[in-house]
């Protein structure tokens, strides 16, 4: 266990959410330490659906191609329903193949990538960016807090050696049984034990069996039980078997690979199938939400803050969105550009969204035979907080819009995707966004003095003119429709890709942008 005894941010938990937070903190130049109790990344696929919004975040981090290479091909993103894997009367539906999905809202559609493969990609990049900032086989024993930060006691699980670390901020990315949340005394509310499942990872020659029905998920209808999850749609699979904990001795069952293999054969409808059980785990369907995401210098992210039913595939993706929202805010506070009040906007923006995702996922769990996976749901997130300057007359909007209204460029919403064709390496308006604030405008000369004033005050903003990329009258009209701006207007986009402020008219003076920035950053003058 070799790492600094003091750091700006101590991250507990090295799953996909913690690793995403680590690489984003590195991108923002924040010194941090991530510790994970397990000796390595997950051996079980667990979560598999990486949504469009998560892929946009990974696109910004330069990881989109690597994650696509690790996932299933898009042609397999279908959902199968049948009594078993050889049911001649099966039904197969697709996410990206339905007619109503034709309009393009994102340059980075979601995909199926098993969590173990995703974590491998994220860990490699996180270690590249912070070579001394990642420590596995290290667990949090305890922590105390004072006005200046958090004092944490860590233990090397291999040797038993202990080390103290001082951090300005402690972030719990340590899952549903979060040690950080428990230590902070933050309660969770919501139902537990809505279902219990045995997850069996196995190898079997099923590629030819499903060749005409290859899907990402195989839901079994009565009299079948549970379902299959494809890892490669050939030899590597997961079988999810529901069970009653009052009637099944799971300890005995988990150790009986012959019985587990028979469960797989019965569910597949193939009595002679050759099955090799590789790994098992049990999990419980809960729907819980933390009463607060922040207590002083302690923050919760991902499953530590919300436990979302997997029916819909939004749990991990909601956590990745949490990390994206929090990383730039921590960076702004640590650098002195923002006051600590900015961190209150993290809960204000992300907790209502998680509440709605939990409700939608619960509804899905009660209609398992009919719900559809909504890959683009999280693209519709609309924030209301002190970190967004909204029109006081703008109508209230739900955190998410399952009806998927078209983006309208309103502050709080994600910056819309508009395809660009004339700049090499830039194919979307989202590619114009960086790690800081970005001002998008078709009229760059009008806003040059504004960005210069903000930079002189220690709040740099990247000015991105659209004139070079929006090359036709049709594209210009699309810009106006998506962003709601006339030719001389501009939109200020936050580092997480959400619109913070919209200026429909040319600036009144050279400091209008600076005033907006200071208001967004909790009205604190910036230090250089």
């Amino acid at each position: 266990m070799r790492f600094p005894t003091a750091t700006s941010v101590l991250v507990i938990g090295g799953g996909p959410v913690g690793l995403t937070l680590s690489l984003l903190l590195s991108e923002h130049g924040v010194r941090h330490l991530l510790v994970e109790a397990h000796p390595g990344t997950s051996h079980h696929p667990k979560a598999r659906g990486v949504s469009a919004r998560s892929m946009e975040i990974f696109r910004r981090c330069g990881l989109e191609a690597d994650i696509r290479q690790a996932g299933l091909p898009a042609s397999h993103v279908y959902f199968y329903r049948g009594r078993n894997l050889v049911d001649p009367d099966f039904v197969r539906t697709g996410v990206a193949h339905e007619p109503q999905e034709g309009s393009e809202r994102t340059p980075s559609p979601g995909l199926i990538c098993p969590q173990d493969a995703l974590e491998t990609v994220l860990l490699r990049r996180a270690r590249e960016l912070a070579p001394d900032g990642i420590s596995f086989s290290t667990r949090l024993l305890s922590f105390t807090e004072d006005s200046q930060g958090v004092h944490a006691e860590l233990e090397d699980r291999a040797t038993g050696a202990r080390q103290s670390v001082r951090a300005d901020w402690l972030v719990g990315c340590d899952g549903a049984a979060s040690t950080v949340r428990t230590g902070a005394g933050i309660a969770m509310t919501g139902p537990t034990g809505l279902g219990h499942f045995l997850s069996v990872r196995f190898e079997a020659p099923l590629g030819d069996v499903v060749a005409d029905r290859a899907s990402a998920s195989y839901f079994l209808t009565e009299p079948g039980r549970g379902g299959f999850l494809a890892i490669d749609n050939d030899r590597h699979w997961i079988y999810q078997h529901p069970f009653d904990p009052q009637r099944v001795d799971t300890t005995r069952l988990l150790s009986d690979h012959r019985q587990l293999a028979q469960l797989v054969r019965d569910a597949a409808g193939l009595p002679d199938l050759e099955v090799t059980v590789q790994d098992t785990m049990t999990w419980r369907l809960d729907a819980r939400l933390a009463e607060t995401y922040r207590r002083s210098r302690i923050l919760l992210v991902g499953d530590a803050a919300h436990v979302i039913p997997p029916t819909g595939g939004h749990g991990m993706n909601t956590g990745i969105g949490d990390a994206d929202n929090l990383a730039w805010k921590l960076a702004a506070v640590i650098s002195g550009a923002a006051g600590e009040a900015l961190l209150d906007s993290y809960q204000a923006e992300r907790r209502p969204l998680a509440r709605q995702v939990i409700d939608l996922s619960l509804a899905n769990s009660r209609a398992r035979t009919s719900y559809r996976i909504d890959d683009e749901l999280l693209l519709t997130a609309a924030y209301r907080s002190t970190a967004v300057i909204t029109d006081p007359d703008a109508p209230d909007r739900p955190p998410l819009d399952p009806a998927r209204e078209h983006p309208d460029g309103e502050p709080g919403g994600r910056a819309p995707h508009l395809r660009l064709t004339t700049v090499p390496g830039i194919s979307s308006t989202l590619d114009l966004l960086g790690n800081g604030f970005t001002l998008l405008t078709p009229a760059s000369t009008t806003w040059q003095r504004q960005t210069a004033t903000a930079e002189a005050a220690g709040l740099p903003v990247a000015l991105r003119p659209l004139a070079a990329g929006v090359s036709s009258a049709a594209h210009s009209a699309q810009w106006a429709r998506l962003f709601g701006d006339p030719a001389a207007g501009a939109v200020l986009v936050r580092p997480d890709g959400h619109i913070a402020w919209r200026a429909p008219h040319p600036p009144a003076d050279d400091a209008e942008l600076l005033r907006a920035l200071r208001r967004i950053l909790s009205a604190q003058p910036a230090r250089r």
Side-chain angles (χ1 to χ4, degrees):
M1 216 170 36
R2 294 182 180 179
F3 41 73
T5 57
T7 189
S8 292
V9 180
L10 175 59
V11 179
I12 308 298
V17 173
L19 291 171
T20 298
L21 180 61
S22 171
L23 64 90
L24 288 170
L25 289 173
S26 291
E27 294 276 3
H28 289 297
V30 175
R31 192 165 49 94
H32 67 281
L33 171 65
L34 179 149
V35 299
E36 164 57 49
H38 289 92
T41 54
S42 175
H43 292 298
H44 208 81
K46 296 183 181 178
R48 302 179 312 137
V50 187
S51 74
R53 183 57 185 145
S54 295
M55 288 305 293
E56 288 183 351
I57 294 168
F58 294 140
R59 178 190 184 95
R60 197 190 324 136
C61 297
L63 290 175
E64 182 178 13
D66 291 341
I67 293 172
R68 292 201 183 281
Q69 186 174 9
L72 281 177
S75 59
H76 289 190
V77 185
Y78 282 89
F79 300 93
Y80 170 101
R81 288 180 174 84
R83 290 166 292 183
N84 51 43
L85 294 184
V86 292
D87 186 351
D89 300 319
F90 72 89
V91 175
R92 184 170 175 252
T93 56
V95 171
H97 308 275
E98 296 175 356
Q100 63 265 34
E101 300 271 326
S103 60
E104 185 182 78
R105 294 177 175 86
T106 177
S108 303
L111 79 160
I112 300 297
C113 180
Q115 183 174 325
D116 52 342
L118 176 64
E119 287 184 7
T120 299
V121 174
L122 297 179
L123 177 59
R124 182 169 58 244
R125 175 57 62 88
R127 280 184 165 153
E128 288 174 358
L129 297 175
D132 301 320
I134 312 290
S135 181
F136 278 69
S137 292
T138 305
R139 67 170 176 165
L140 173 69
L141 293 177
S142 63
F143 62 88
T144 57
E145 182 191 6
D146 57 37
S147 60
Q148 301 302 311
V150 178
H151 178 91
E153 189 77 10
L154 306 178
E155 180 186 65
D156 186 325
R157 299 192 68 187
T159 66
R162 297 186 177 187
Q163 182 173 325
S164 297
V165 173
R166 182 81 178 177
D168 297 326
W169 302 92
L170 175 65
V171 183
C173 300
D174 49 344
S178 172
T179 300
V180 174
R181 187 187 65 239
T182 300
I186 299 174
M188 294 278 276
T189 59
T192 62
L194 298 172
H196 294 80
F197 294 85
L198 167 64
S199 185
V200 183
R201 180 171 186 165
F202 68 95
E203 184 176 352
L206 287 170
D208 290 340
V209 174
V210 301
D212 65 336
R213 59 193 69 189
S215 302
S217 299
Y218 299 77
F219 299 105
L220 301 186
T221 57
E222 294 290 345
R225 299 189 66 205
F228 290 87
L229 308 177
I231 297 177
D232 63 3
N233 259 323
D234 186 15
R235 297 193 61 87
H236 299 282
W237 300 84
I238 296 289
Y239 172 53
Q240 303 275 22
H241 177 70
F243 69 92
D244 182 348
Q246 302 298 321
R247 302 177 61 182
V248 177
D249 182 354
T250 54
T251 302
R252 181 178 177 182
L253 179 58
L254 290 174
S255 62
D256 189 343
H257 282 201
R258 290 182 62 183
Q259 186 176 352
L260 293 172
Q262 191 58 46
L263 282 177
V264 171
R265 294 188 192 98
D266 292 344
L270 297 165
D272 298 321
L273 182 65
E274 214 179 287
V275 177
T276 302
V277 175
Q278 298 174 315
D279 189 18
T280 60
M281 64 176 287
T282 59
W283 57 275
R284 189 179 72 187
L285 196 153
D286 296 341
R288 293 170 67 74
L289 184 62
E291 64 178 9
T292 181
Y293 280 21
R294 178 190 176 196
R295 182 149 290 168
S296 189
R297 291 181 171 269
I298 300 161
L299 299 118
L300 304 179
V301 176
D303 285 359
H306 44 72
V307 182
I308 299 170
T311 40
H314 300 305
M316 177 182 69
N317 294 296
T318 302
I320 289 169
D322 294 342
D324 191 34
N325 186 287
L326 180 60
W328 74 269
K329 294 175 181 178
L330 277 171
V333 171
I334 290 167
S335 70
E340 289 185 17
L342 177 64
L343 294 176
D344 292 333
S345 70
Y346 166 60
Q347 171 172 310
E349 294 179 350
R350 296 301 297 177
R351 192 173 182 276
L353 182 147
R355 174 73 271 166
Q356 188 175 355
V357 170
I358 288 172
D359 293 342
L360 290 169
S361 300
L362 271 176
N364 283 341
S365 73
R366 298 177 183 123
R368 290 180 58 83
T369 60
S370 60
Y371 79 86
R372 63 186 293 274
I373 306 296
D374 190 346
D375 174 57
E376 297 182 352
L377 174 68
L378 298 178
L379 296 179
T380 69
Y383 297 151
R384 292 294 181 267
S385 77
T386 56
V388 175
I389 300 175
T390 57
D391 183 340
D393 297 325
D396 287 338
R397 297 169 61 179
L400 296 166
D401 182 5
R404 265 206 235 126
E405 291 183 2
H406 205 286
D408 55 10
E410 282 286 336
R414 154 190 163 273
H417 158 62
L418 172 60
R419 181 168 294 280
L420 305 178
T421 58
T422 61
V423 180
I426 302 292
S427 60
S428 167
T429 45
L430 304 189
D431 296 332
L432 299 174
L433 310 178
N435 292 326
F437 281 87
T438 304
L439 195 70
L440 297 176
T441 176
S444 60
T445 54
T446 306
W447 292 91
Q448 285 174 346
R449 293 181 66 176
Q450 294 284 315
T451 55
T453 300
E455 183 171 8
L459 296 175
V461 176
L463 181 62
R464 294 286 183 260
L466 268 294
V470 183
S471 57
S472 68
H475 273 78
S476 296
Q478 192 176 6
W479 155 266
R481 180 170 61 85
L482 289 175
F483 288 86
D485 283 335
V491 291
L492 179 66
V493 184
R494 306 185 326 187
D496 61 356
H498 281 257
I499 296 173
W501 174 61
R502 183 166 68 179
H505 307 293
D509 57 59
D510 291 349
E512 187 171 349
L513 174 62
L514 176 60
R515 289 192 295 272
L517 282 165
R518 284 180 169 166
R519 179 175 167 185
I520 292 160
L521 296 170
S522 301
Q524 294 293 320
R527 296 201 304 266
R528 283 187 177 276

